[in-house]
Amino acid sequence: MGIHSEFMVSATIPGGSDQQYKVTHQDETFAVETDSGTITLINNGDNSWSIVNGDISQESANIIGQAIEDHYQK
């Protein structure tokens, strides 16, 4: 059992408007609920994010990832 928390982040991905995303953090991954399904991201530790699964561009993953990082810096 690892860390498990849920929170909301706000991000604007390319071609879209500002949206709220529900994020579930468990162990090393972050599951993000989007309009097109759930994506799973992992933080690389260098301001970049890897897409574990889901249909999202790398740019969008990094933007949502930055919003997750911002959440933890509040």
Side-chain angles (χ1 to χ4, degrees):
M1 292 275 199
I3 298 169
H4 179 89
S5 64
E6 290 183 353
F7 54 91
M8 300 295 290
V9 298
S10 179
T12 305
I13 59 172
S17 57
D18 188 49
Q19 290 192 26
Q20 293 282 322
Y21 297 96
K22 180 179 176 185
V23 179
T24 303
H25 179 201
Q26 182 148 11
D27 298 319
E28 298 297 316
T29 63
F30 295 84
V32 181
E33 294 181 23
T34 71
D35 290 341
S36 57
T38 301
I39 60 167
T40 306
L41 304 176
I42 190 165
N43 188 337
N44 295 324
D46 61 358
N47 293 328
S48 70
W49 292 73
S50 291
I51 303 162
V52 178
N53 63 41
D55 185 21
I56 189 171
S57 71
Q58 184 62 54
E59 181 181 11
S60 295
N62 288 341
I63 290 168
I64 294 171
Q66 182 61 55
I68 292 170
E69 289 183 35
D70 291 347
H71 168 82
Y72 280 104
Q73 295 190 5
K74 287 182 182 176

